[in-house]
Amino acid sequence: MKIYQVEELVGITKKNIRFYEDQKLLCPKRNPENDYREYSLEDVRQLEKIKLLRKLSVPIEEIRFLESGKMSLTQSMNQQIERIEKEQESAEVMKKLCIKLRDETTDLQTLNASSYLSEMEKMEEDGTKFKNIQKEDINRKKKSGAIIAASFICLILILCFIGMLFVYRSEPAILGPVIITALITIGLVIVIIVVLIQRIKEINRGEEYDARNY
């Protein structure tokens, strides 16, 4: 079957499927006549297993060990339970720190951030994981860049169309090309907006980590 059929069956995007192939978690056979990938029901079942494990946040490397027989499912689940318990412990620590902040400081102006940051650094040394603000800032920058790029391209297209209108004012006989240009401009703007929305969704989901979420 074709990749779009697998995409519909399993609910995994083409990008995700390609990612798993790059990671050697999935190796579909190729048609010797055209070298196209041909996915089997076994590949579909394999993707379902990968999707299940990724939804449980099992790391890619660990899935590779499972497939190669270097690790049993029981061992993998035990490790994942330990990771989840650590995350729960981290969440509880963060909750206590938020309560402490609320009770000890009522005004941002009087907040002694350095003392709390020092306390958090010690917690991190003990294994507590706080939010990755660097990743958030990078994602925000990527979204801004995508919006600026899309806006710039749309502006160029609109300016080109306005230029065509000025030409039409001096030569009314070219109404046909102006209409065609208008339709093309509108179509391209719509495509750019759709691509921009998709791009922002990818960034929000983690972009290059998107495939790893499944």
Side-chain angles (χ1 to χ4, degrees), residues 54-162:
R54 291 305 294 135
K55 279 185 171 290
L56 293 173
S57 296
V58 176
I60 292 293
E61 189 63 29
E62 206 163 289
I63 296 176
R64 192 178 291 114
F65 287 155
L66 283 166
E67 289 189 353
S68 64
K70 294 180 179 178
M71 176 183 287
S72 69
L73 185 60
T74 300
Q75 291 174 319
S76 175
M77 291 301 99
N78 283 336
Q79 289 189 12
Q80 189 58 18
I81 290 168
E82 290 179 8
R83 283 189 287 264
I84 292 170
E85 288 174 346
K86 287 180 180 179
E87 289 174 2
Q88 290 174 335
E89 290 172 3
S90 295
E92 188 61 32
V93 169
M94 284 189 282
K95 179 182 175 182
K96 290 178 180 178
L97 185 57
C98 288
I99 293 172
K100 184 178 180 181
L101 267 168
R102 181 197 65 189
D103 295 342
E104 293 182 355
T105 310
T106 57
D107 188 357
L108 182 64
Q109 299 300 322
T110 59
L111 174 62
N112 185 3
S114 60
S115 64
Y116 286 103
L117 286 171
S118 298
E119 185 176 349
M120 290 172 74
E121 287 176 3
K122 293 178 182 178
M123 292 177 182
E124 286 176 328
E125 291 174 1
D126 293 334
T128 302
K129 291 185 179 181
F130 293 97
K131 196 169 186 66
N132 189 343
I133 56 173
Q134 183 178 359
K135 182 180 175 182
E136 291 243 329
D137 292 341
I138 290 173
N139 284 350
R140 190 177 297 110
K141 184 177 180 181
K142 286 179 179 179
K143 283 190 278 189
S144 299
I147 293 171
I148 291 171
S151 301
F152 179 75
I153 295 173
C154 288
L155 179 61
I156 294 296
L157 290 171
I158 293 170
L159 289 175
C160 289
F161 177 65
I162 292 173

